[in-house]
């Protein structure tokens, strides 16, 4: 079906037209995944919410700005993709899906996140890039199992001190924000492995040699005059990155760190629909 026809049918609320958009998806697939990305949908067909064993639901690249309350029935859902839609606020029904471990909210119009997000205590990956956030909602700091936070391309000027309470956080993407200084809270997060502050306004970088878990720091496109100092074996991406990093010292000894698996740069798009759930 052509995109033009889909766009026209998306305005027609009749069940027949909506069924045509879904291409006769009447029963839950064997793989417990439904991918309705790019269907020009303006509302989620309620019958999808009857697939109670559903594990993955991809609704990316539609025209959604709300979700039906019946979505709460999907209590086995682990991956939910709502990116590239028209959400100005996160529907509270999403916060009832307590098994969620991956949530994609990027490329919407979100200016904040509800306090109810704290109910998603199994969440490990949160994508909130390319929204309208002027500050990182403090509720994010209550997601105790969070490992990956992608908050790039917003209007962030700082990070809350509470972020250091996320002991499981390993990767944080902050590219394309309004940071004028390296966020001090990141200096107190020794378990971070990847820090991306590309395309900000940072003029000075403090030493990062004391962060024992660090593997990759991306700092390009900042008005700084030197590369951040890092321990030996830590990869840097940016101007002057060829400079010799600082050796890592521990108990008087110098320990060389080699990366068996180099961490990846931030992907241009999220994981494909066949990504494994948590």
């Amino acid at each position: 079906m052509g995109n033009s026809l889909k766009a026209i049918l998306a305005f027609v609320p009749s069940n027949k037209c909506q069924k045509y958009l879904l291409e006769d998806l009447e029963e839950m697939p064997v793989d417990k995944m439904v991918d309705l990305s790019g269907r020009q949908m303006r509302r989620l067909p309620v019958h999808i919410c009857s697939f109670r064993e559903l594990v993955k639901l991809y609704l990316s690249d539609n025209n959604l700005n709300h979700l039906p309350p019946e979505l709460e029935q999907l209590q086995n859902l682990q991956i939910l993709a709502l990116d590239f839609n028209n959400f100005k606020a996160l529907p509270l029904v999403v916060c009832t899906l307590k098994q969620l471990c991956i949530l994609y909210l990027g490329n919407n119009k979100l200016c904040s996140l509800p306090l109810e997000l704290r109910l998603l205590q199994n969440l490990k990956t949160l994508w909130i890039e390319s929204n309208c956030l002027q500050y990182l909602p403090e509720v994010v700091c209550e997601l105790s199992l969070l490992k990956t936070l992608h908050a790039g391309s917003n209007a962030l000027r700082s990070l809350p001190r509470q972020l250091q309470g996320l002991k499981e956080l390993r990767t944080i993407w902050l590219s394309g924000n309004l940071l004028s200084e390296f966020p001090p809270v990141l200096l107190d997060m020794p378990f971070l492995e990847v820090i991306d502050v590309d395309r900000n306004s940072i003029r000075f970088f403090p030493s990062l040699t004391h962060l024992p878990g660090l593997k990759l720091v991306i700092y390009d496109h900042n008005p700084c005059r030197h590369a951040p100092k890092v321990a030996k074996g830590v990869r840097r991406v940016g101007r002057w990155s060829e400079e010799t990093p600082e050796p890592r010292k521990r108990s008087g000894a110098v320990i060389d760190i080699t990366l068996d698996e180099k961490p990846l740069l931030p992907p241009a798009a999220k994981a494909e629909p066949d990504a494994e759930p948590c």
Side-chain angles (χ1 to χ4, degrees), residues 44-277:
L44 177 65
V46 174
H47 86 271
I48 296 296
C49 302
S50 66
F51 300 163
R52 300 197 176 192
E53 298 302 314
L54 200 65
V55 173
K56 308 175 189 178
L57 178 58
Y58 293 87
L59 302 174
S60 308
D61 193 19
N62 282 292
N63 294 306
L64 300 172
N65 58 25
H66 66 281
L67 294 172
E70 289 84 356
L71 190 72
E72 185 177 3
Q73 299 175 28
L74 303 182
Q75 286 301 311
N76 289 301
L77 203 63
Q78 296 182 30
I79 299 177
L80 177 60
L82 299 174
D83 49 329
F84 292 94
N85 277 286
N86 293 316
F87 291 105
K88 294 183 179 180
L90 179 65
L92 293 182
V93 67
V94 172
C95 301
T96 68
L97 306 174
K98 297 183 180 180
Q99 296 305 313
L100 276 184
C101 59
I102 301 177
L103 179 58
Y104 298 111
L105 300 175
N107 290 274
N108 279 286
K109 301 174 183 178
L110 302 174
C111 294
S112 63
L113 294 174
L115 293 177
E116 288 81 357
L117 189 71
R118 63 165 64 106
L119 299 175
L120 302 183
Q121 285 300 308
N122 285 309
L123 205 61
K124 296 180 180 178
T125 298
L126 177 62
W127 287 55
I128 51 175
E129 81 286 0
S130 300
N131 276 287
C132 304
L133 298 171
Q134 296 184 13
Y135 62 91
L136 185 68
E138 292 185 3
V139 67
V140 172
C141 304
E142 299 184 44
L143 304 174
S144 59
L145 296 183
L146 199 64
K147 290 187 175 182
T148 300
L149 175 61
H150 195 328
S153 299
N154 280 286
L156 305 181
R157 296 181 182 273
S158 63
L159 297 179
R161 292 297 305 178
Q162 295 92 323
L163 194 69
Q164 65 181 314
L166 296 182
K167 305 301 183 184
E168 299 299 320
L169 193 64
R170 297 293 181 267
T171 301
I172 184 165
W173 308 108
L174 298 167
S175 62
N177 277 288
L178 300 176
L179 301 172
S180 60
E181 66 172 353
F182 187 83
V185 65
L186 300 184
L187 300 175
D188 296 324
M189 301 180 70
F191 301 112
L192 280 175
E193 297 179 356
V194 178
I195 299 175
D196 176 15
V197 289
D198 182 32
R199 293 185 293 113
N200 278 278
S201 300
I202 302 173
R203 294 183 176 277
F204 172 78
F205 280 91
S207 174
L208 305 179
T209 59
H210 67 290
L211 298 179
L214 194 61
K215 297 179 179 178
L216 170 66
V217 57
I218 306 172
Y219 64 93
D220 209 7
H221 304 99
N222 280 282
C224 56
R225 295 186 177 183
H226 64 84
K229 293 182 179 180
V230 295
K232 188 175 182 180
V234 177
R235 183 184 176 195
R236 295 179 297 187
V237 176
R239 193 177 181 186
W240 304 293
S241 61
E242 69 278 1
E243 294 177 355
T244 303
E246 293 284 317
R248 175 169 296 167
K249 296 183 179 180
R250 184 178 299 168
S251 301
V254 177
I255 301 175
D256 290 344
I257 297 178
T258 57
L259 298 181
D260 294 327
E261 296 182 1
K262 292 184 179 179
L264 298 176
L265 300 183
K270 67 178 186 303
E272 295 299 321
D274 58 355
E276 289 298 322

